[in-house]
Amino acid sequence: MNYKDLKQLVNKSRCTRRFKQDVQINSKDLEELIDVARVTSSAKNMQPLKYILVTNEEMVKALATTAKWAAHLTNWTQSEDEIPSAFIIMLNDKNIDGFAMFDAGVSFEAISLAANAKNLDICALASIDKDICKDLFEIEDNYEILIGIAIGISSETIKIVDVEGENTNYYRDEQDQHCVPKRALQDIIIGTYK
């Protein structure tokens, strides 16, 4: 893979909030996503992350309908015909002395890219209902729920746009396309020393 292909894959790997229905995702697909995340960098190589894979339709519905979707889209709530097909719940094993937030970011990006390579789409949800997770799954006290990752096939158009002013909030434009503002390269590099 060259730089241009990688950049295109990263650009396509966006969080979606509207999913197509009647899409079946099996546990093997989810296992393959986790297998990619499993070999990514880990702080001190401690590997504290663990995962719960969810394809059960009723459990997916319970997770999707209790999560808080798209905080910046105040005039939209996800409808039942837009829920994902599966979930991955990412956990931190508190018995392992690592740096879970670093690992979570690296792991999520790997899952996102792997999903995109499998023609699947994702959405990270820090707002996953942790009490619902504890009710649905047998989660021991040493596990901290970090995020839920919704997985399916997107039914919306998502595009990267330039930040206007300082507003980085995502929004939907007049064509109902999901717009994700990104800062310009020259705005995030604050020094170059040659």
Side-chain angles (χ1 to χ4, degrees):
M1 176 180 284
N2 62 37
Y3 168 80
K4 188 175 179 179
D5 293 338
L6 177 61
K7 178 100 187 273
Q8 183 178 11
L9 181 63
V10 171
N11 283 343
K12 285 177 47 186
S13 297
R14 312 271 24 116
C15 283
T16 189
R17 287 144 182 95
R18 293 175 170 166
F19 295 90
K20 291 182 180 177
Q21 296 308 289
D22 302 320
V23 173
Q24 296 296 315
I25 296 176
N26 60 47
S27 294
K28 180 76 170 150
D29 288 324
L30 300 183
E31 286 175 12
E32 289 174 352
L33 299 181
I34 299 307
D35 195 36
V36 171
R38 177 183 68 81
V39 297
T40 60
S41 296
S42 173
K44 300 191 289 183
N45 201 35
M46 295 303 293
Q47 306 168 48
L49 301 183
K50 305 292 189 263
Y51 305 88
I52 296 171
L53 312 180
V54 186
T55 57
N56 175 285
E57 191 174 328
E58 290 304 312
M59 290 178 171
V60 168
K61 184 177 178 181
L63 293 169
T65 57
T66 57
K68 293 180 179 40
W69 293 84
H72 293 305
L73 302 178
T74 56
N75 60 346
W76 175 83
T77 47
Q78 188 184 56
S79 67
E80 243 185 74
D81 63 346
E82 296 174 321
I83 66 172
S85 302
F87 269 93
I88 294 172
I89 308 299
M90 184 186 293
L91 309 163
N92 172 36
D93 185 342
K94 296 184 287 186
N95 289 339
I96 299 174
D97 179 31
F99 186 45
M101 293 316 294
F102 170 83
D103 287 22
V106 172
S107 177
F108 172 75
E109 188 63 17
I111 291 168
S112 176
L113 295 171
N116 193 275
K118 291 174 77 63
N119 295 313
L120 297 171
D121 299 289
I122 55 87
C123 185
L125 295 162
S127 65
I128 195 80
D129 189 316
K130 293 167 178 60
D131 291 330
I132 293 290
C133 288
K134 289 175 185 174
D135 288 343
L136 290 174
F137 315 114
E138 295 177 20
I139 299 176
E140 297 174 19
D141 291 341
N142 60 300
Y143 292 116
E144 171 191 15
I145 301 165
L146 297 177
I147 61 171
I149 304 171
I151 302 167
I153 295 179
S154 179
S155 67
E156 66 182 336
T157 301
I158 304 170
K159 63 182 185 177
I160 295 175
V161 297
D162 294 332
V163 169
E164 293 183 20
E166 288 298 313
N167 188 358
T168 59
N169 292 349
Y170 51 81
Y171 60 92
R172 298 244 165 87
D173 66 12
E174 303 80 37
Q175 291 80 39
D176 203 31
Q177 297 177 98
H178 189 81
C179 300
V180 183
K182 293 294 180 182
R183 298 182 195 280
L185 184 60
Q186 66 268 17
D187 294 337
I188 63 170
I189 298 175
I190 61 169
T192 300
Y193 302 89
K194 297 181 181 181

